[in-house]
Amino acid sequence: MDLSAPRPDQLWSVIACTRILMDILATKNPTRASDAARRAHEFFEVSLKHNPSGYKIECAKGCSFCCHLRVTAMAPEIFLLANHVRREFKNDFQAVLERVRAADRNSRGLSGRERAKHHFPCGFLADNACSVYAARPSSCRALTSVSVATCKRGYDGEEVEVLTPAVWTELRGAHNQAMWAALASAGLRYDSYELNHATLIALETPDAEARWLNGEDVFASVSREGADDPDDAILKKRIADRLIAGALGKELPPWEAV
């Protein structure tokens, strides 16, 4: 995706990504949900490389202030993360599982502000670094900062505005929109769930992805982003409907009519 291109061209890049994800989800592959998440992450990362922001990002390994914030992710991203853990940590799986359980016990039911106040870390933070970096969800991929000092002040309890270059924000939006549309087209949920609790369920339930693909809401007990905001649901559906139309080669409905 080229963010310097005219808006219509940017839209068609998202539509192209949507079509790719729709094709993945239309297969019979039992890991098609996590496969779609991997492809969406690739879209984000490749686009990021081709859209330099002009700002120096101060995020680096060992800086983990943002790893104490509340994080949400869509179900395919959660399955991708769980599959990564099973594959890469098969000899230490129980140790990782216990860390995620502890993180869930600490954070479940807390608001984002409460969690940050108590400095509860993500269940995958180990030695002050992300232990699942390659499989991290889009919310983590897109959260960057031009000032680590500002992040530290926020971590210490100050009210701060962490500045993220627009490139990351816009590409995350494109990533998420393509995922919403592809999942909607497949008749699947595109909610975003609290990461610790949802990933714990996926790790403790080996067939969670298959059950979810068959229509079971395996994350029914997990808190969802925007669950009580009907306007958010309407907006997501409008975006998804427009991208699906484009991906199917149909005329794009006017935005006001979606």
Side-chain angles (χ1 to χ4, degrees):
M1 183 173 177
D2 181 1
L3 294 178
S4 66
R7 283 292 180 181
D9 291 346
Q10 294 182 39
L11 172 61
W12 282 103
S13 293
V14 184
I15 288 173
C17 181
T18 299
R19 180 55 195 255
I20 291 170
L21 301 184
M22 287 170 61
D23 289 345
I24 291 172
L25 291 171
T27 69
K28 299 299 183 182
N29 191 325
T31 60
R32 58 190 180 275
S34 48
D35 290 345
R38 181 182 297 105
R39 184 63 184 85
H41 292 344
E42 289 172 358
F43 168 77
F44 176 90
E45 296 294 345
V46 172
S47 298
L48 189 60
K49 289 179 181 178
H50 289 82
N51 290 277
S53 71
Y55 293 91
K56 181 182 178 182
I57 300 302
E58 295 196 358
C59 305
K61 187 175 182 178
C63 176
S64 60
F65 298 120
C66 62
C67 300
H68 297 76
L69 301 176
R70 186 177 187 271
V71 174
T72 61
M74 284 177 272
E77 298 180 288
I78 294 162
F79 297 131
L80 177 66
L81 182 53
N83 292 342
H84 176 85
V85 170
R86 290 192 184 94
R87 183 176 63 254
E88 300 297 326
F89 297 92
K90 53 187 175 183
N91 295 328
D92 301 308
F93 179 80
Q94 286 301 319
V96 175
L97 184 59
E98 286 305 318
R99 287 206 305 270
V100 176
R101 282 174 177 158
D104 177 52
R105 283 195 299 270
N106 288 334
S107 63
R108 190 184 299 188
L110 296 185
S111 67
R113 183 180 292 273
E114 290 171 327
R115 179 168 165 174
K117 177 182 177 181
H118 291 289
H119 293 171
F120 289 138
C122 171
F124 296 105
L125 186 65
D127 298 324
N128 228 33
C130 178
S131 63
V132 291
Y133 191 78
R136 69 199 189 283
S138 66
S139 51
C140 299
R141 290 172 189 270
L143 183 57
T144 55
S145 173
V146 299
S147 172
V148 68
T150 302
C151 297
K152 185 179 186 305
R153 294 197 342 258
Y155 179 83
D156 290 337
E158 289 187 39
E159 290 287 340
V160 299
E161 181 182 2
V162 176
L163 297 179
T164 297
V167 166
W168 271 263
T169 303
E170 291 185 30
L171 291 178
R172 185 198 175 192
H175 167 290
N176 287 354
Q177 290 170 14
M179 284 291 294
W180 299 338
L183 291 169
S185 178
L188 297 167
R189 302 183 70 96
Y190 47 91
D191 304 279
S192 287
Y193 302 92
E194 193 280 320
L195 189 65
N196 284 332
H197 187 188
T199 308
L200 178 61
I201 290 173
L203 290 173
E204 292 180 329
T205 314
D207 62 345
E209 183 169 2
R211 288 163 58 178
W212 184 82
L213 285 167
N214 284 330
E216 182 180 344
D217 188 4
V218 297
F219 301 124
S221 62
V222 183
S223 64
R224 292 176 288 135
E225 187 178 71
D228 300 320
D229 185 354
D231 291 337
D232 180 70
I234 292 171
L235 177 61
K236 286 180 179 178
K237 185 179 186 306
R238 293 175 70 193
I239 292 171
D241 287 348
R242 199 157 195 251
L243 294 177
I244 292 169
L248 295 177
K250 299 179 181 179
E251 182 178 355
L252 297 185
W255 177 247
E256 296 80 5
V258 175

